[in-house]
Amino acid sequence: QISRAHEHRVRHRAPQCSTAAAPPMMHTVFKVLASLSPTIGGLLYMAVALKYIEPPVGMVHVGGTVDGVNKVTWAATEASAATGVAVTEQQVFFFIAACKLAAMLDLWVIRLVPRLALVCLSIMMLAVEYSHVLMGDELVGPVVVVLFNLLALATWPSSKNSKSGSSKAAPDKAMKKKSAKAN
């Protein structure tokens, strides 16, 4: 009796309200836009960290000129002061490159925690924004990257519309059919 009453409630449950999901193409576009800066920047920073190329002046100096403060030297000095451990410019380049490339690898290939990867990239870019404010550098770039990350998160397909969601639902239906036949 209890199982039949429960079964009746489940069958006659009121329909769930659902929010309209963004089209998958929109999510893909925002995901690609959110990936451009971390991928290109990560590869460039890794090439500098491995000493394949010299760091471009526009990338490391405030205002994009040699007269501006070297942002990487500033970051190494700040990290050394905060940790009490000597941090080199090469380590700063390697750390930033590793973070960006690991996030892109998870977002596109591994897919273990892709939403967390976008959140971490947003936090990293907000830290970059803060350092730009402190040094008087341009503010638009980091804000645009954070905006694309948030748009990619906001348009993330729901689990019931994604391929992974439908594959998880199939075993549940098979188990319900088996239990219905057993009763």
Side-chain angles (χ1 to χ4, degrees), residues 23-87:
M25 180 58 87
M26 183 183 294
H27 168 70
T28 303
V29 167
F30 287 133
K31 192 167 132 181
V32 167
L33 290 172
S35 301
L36 289 175
S37 174
T39 303
I40 295 168
L43 291 172
L44 185 62
Y45 273 58
M46 188 59 75
V48 171
L50 297 173
K51 297 187 178 187
Y52 286 126
I53 63 171
E54 290 294 317
V57 172
M59 180 177 79
V60 296
H61 290 278
V62 172
T65 64
V66 182
D67 299 333
V69 175
N70 185 320
K71 296 183 265 190
V72 180
T73 303
W74 178 85
T77 304
E78 291 293 316
S80 296
T83 62
V85 177
V87 177

Side-chain angles (χ1 to χ4, degrees), residues 5-131:
H6 174 71
E7 190 176 316
H8 179 73
R9 280 195 306 268
V10 170
R11 280 189 195 160
H12 296 85
R13 183 178 295 160
Q16 298 289 328
C17 294
S18 64
T19 58
M25 180 58 87
M26 183 183 294
H27 168 70
T28 303
V29 167
F30 287 133
K31 192 167 132 181
V32 167
L33 290 172
S35 301
L36 289 175
S37 174
T39 303
I40 295 168
L43 291 172
L44 185 62
Y45 273 58
M46 188 59 75
V48 171
L50 297 173
K51 297 187 178 187
Y52 286 126
I53 63 171
E54 290 294 317
V57 172
M59 180 177 79
V60 296
H61 290 278
V62 172
T65 64
V66 182
D67 299 333
V69 175
N70 185 320
K71 296 183 265 190
V72 180
T73 303
W74 178 85
T77 304
E78 291 293 316
S80 296
T83 62
V85 177
V87 177
T88 66
E89 288 182 24
Q90 184 178 7
Q91 291 168 331
V92 171
F93 277 116
F94 184 77
F95 178 76
I96 293 170
C99 290
K100 288 182 175 192
L101 293 176
M104 290 301 97
L105 187 64
D106 187 57
L107 186 63
W108 289 99
V109 180
I110 300 171
R111 296 184 181 144
L112 184 63
V113 286
R115 292 179 188 163
L116 181 61
L118 284 173
V119 170
C120 290
L121 279 173
S122 296
I123 292 169
M124 184 175 78
M125 292 313 292
L126 288 172
V128 169
E129 181 72 19
Y130 178 70
S131 68

Side-chain angles (χ1 to χ4, degrees), residues 157-168:
S158 66
S159 60
K160 63 182 172 184
N161 294 339
S162 69
K163 292 177 185 173
S164 64
S166 62
S167 66
K168 289 180 183 175

